[in-house]
Amino acid sequence: MASMSKAVLKNGLWRAKISYRDPKKRNLERKDQRSHIWIEKRTKEELEKEKSKYEAIEKNVIILGTFGDLLDKWYKERLNHNKPKTLNEYRKYLNYFIEDEQLENVYVSEIKHTDINSYLNDYAYEVRRDGKDSREFPVSWSTKNQYFSALGSFFSWCKQNEYIQENPIKKLEKPKRHFVAKELPPQETWEPMWGKIFEALDEENKEELTVLVHLALEMGSRQGELTALEWRHVNFEKNEIIINQNLYENKELGTTKKSKGHIVSISNSMADELKRFKNNQSKLIENRVDKSHNYILKADNQGKPYRNSSIYKKWRRFLGRHSIEYPEGYGNFKFHDIRHYSASFLFQNIDESEGLTMATERISKRLGHSSADFTRRYYIYYVPKDDKASANVFENFRKNIAKSKDSE
């Protein structure tokens, strides 16, 4: 912005020095781009009007810089503001614009939103960098969102440093996430498969893994919500667990997707199992590194929490050891699929007189969805009349599995 020194009355005229960014010096270093001029006017008001003229000149000053050159400057400056992991991820996606010889030598002031839109839709969103066929494995929403976020960060910085007047990304529509309803294997395979899972858990006798799977199935919670659970969240008197935080991949605690949190009822058998687990785990409490958090699921004897990716790997290794897999055509049995099984078991064991609207509302709350409409679109299950009945569904399910095992 143009600036003006304090006006001084001299020889009947008001005199002041105006400093402004000179268009003729735009190719110089930023510190050398300002010019200074002394102005004399009869009144202070006339001085202010003169200053406004130079402010208008500044607005038309665009500092020249190519996409390739500014990328390095952006990266160095943002190191003090962004997390290195985030910034390096952004840099990776921005480098694609250079590798593909799209924007490296183009002045950022000449880049239009239509140019970026064409590149993203006609190329970036259509090409997988891992070599897979994008026709069979389309570029994911998260990848598209990374492109968009990286460009947004870069061009926002360009605007702040006066390389551009408007951020072209502001004119583009952010990639929309298209959810696809999970397709579980045929219903007749559910009970035999879960019977095999429970039998394998008993055979391995790994208490923590058993608790993890039982909690995931009964509560229907997200992976990060399970790893973030602490003993203070469990109310053994009411058989309830509070879900109000989420543990992200970098082990940072944050709010759940439904930031207000919610309460999930658990069965008597689940509560008893947690009590035994807590008692057996008590010897680890004194070794905890972070005394402020006492996680239910601990990754080591110092009480550190699991990464979400570790839970996924633990689950996949468990299934591999016991040759448990989906029928052909249904892909891998992901840990997140347990959340869908949780909802589907509720659907199978409800009183249909409840009604679709109220039932969907209840299951939505139990799963922690922000709206019943999302549950209706991607889960579409009934639920019992109250959440206590939801918990009983899983107790009965596990009893039926046990009976089948005893009768063999």
Side-chain angles (χ1 to χ4, degrees), residues 14 20 56 72 84 113 139 153 182 190 235 254 258 265-266 331 360 389 398 404:
W14 286 98
Y20 67 100
D72 290 329
H113 72 280
V139 175
S153 174
K182 176 68 183 180
W190 295 1
N235 186 331
K258 187 178 180 181
S265 298
I266 57 174
T360 308
R398 287 162 66 178
S404 299

Side-chain angles (χ1 to χ4, degrees), residues 79 140 142 168 175-176 190 224 244 275 298 330 370 387 403:
L79 274 174
S140 68
S142 61
K176 292 183 178 179
W190 295 1
N244 61 4
K275 288 176 184 177
K298 296 176 173 61
Y330 289 90
S370 57
D387 201 47
K403 286 179 182 178

Side-chain angles (χ1 to χ4, degrees), residues 85-116:
K85 184 177 179 181
T86 302
L87 197 63
N88 288 330
E89 193 72 11
Y90 284 175
R91 179 67 184 265
K92 179 181 77 174
Y93 284 95
L94 292 172
N95 277 339
Y96 292 149
F97 287 84
I98 294 175
E99 292 173 11
D100 299 332
E101 299 180 354
Q102 292 290 321
L103 300 175
E104 182 177 11
N105 298 314
V106 180
Y107 289 119
V108 290
S109 57
E110 298 176 358
I111 299 174
K112 299 177 182 178
H113 72 280
T114 50
D115 300 327
I116 297 173

Side-chain angles (χ1 to χ4, degrees), residues 94-246:
L94 292 172
N95 277 339
Y96 292 149
F97 287 84
I98 294 175
E99 292 173 11
D100 299 332
E101 299 180 354
Q102 292 290 321
L103 300 175
E104 182 177 11
N105 298 314
V106 180
Y107 289 119
V108 290
S109 57
E110 298 176 358
I111 299 174
K112 299 177 182 178
H113 72 280
T114 50
D115 300 327
I116 297 173
N117 193 52
S118 296
Y119 173 74
L120 289 176
N121 290 313
D122 298 342
Y123 188 77
Y125 290 171
E126 299 297 328
V127 176
R128 288 191 62 111
R129 302 285 171 173
D130 56 8
K132 291 183 179 179
D133 188 346
S134 60
R135 290 170 295 182
E136 186 176 355
F137 304 99
V139 175
S140 68
W141 166 83
S142 61
T143 297
K144 294 179 181 179
N145 197 52
Q146 283 286 56
Y147 270 113
F148 198 87
S149 299
L151 287 166
S153 174
F154 174 73
F155 281 108
S156 292
W157 174 85
C158 287
K159 184 178 180 182
Q160 289 171 5
N161 289 274
E162 301 178 8
Y163 291 105
I164 57 176
Q165 288 183 344
E166 293 184 4
N167 186 343
I169 300 301
K170 296 289 185 182
K171 295 183 179 181
L172 297 180
E173 187 177 355
K174 195 171 183 179
K176 292 183 178 179
R177 188 170 190 174
H178 299 288
F179 289 94
V180 178
K182 176 68 183 180
E183 184 180 3
L184 297 176
Q187 191 173 320
E188 60 268 19
T189 66
W190 295 1
E191 191 163 317
M193 183 180 64
W194 277 99
K196 192 174 181 180
I197 290 172
F198 289 156
E199 186 176 343
L201 289 171
D202 291 340
E203 180 185 320
E204 292 200 356
N205 196 27
K206 295 180 179 178
E207 190 176 24
E208 187 175 67
L209 179 61
T210 302
V211 168
L212 169 64
V213 175
H214 287 173
L215 277 175
L217 181 63
E218 184 156 325
M219 296 174 63
S221 298
R222 302 176 182 91
Q223 219 162 289
E225 293 170 350
L226 290 169
T227 54
L229 281 178
E230 300 179 45
W231 287 113
R232 63 186 175 87
H233 296 135
V234 184
N235 186 331
F236 286 112
E237 291 184 4
K238 295 183 177 180
N239 279 8
E240 292 177 344
I241 295 180
I242 299 172
I243 307 292
N244 61 4
Q245 62 186 29
N246 189 78

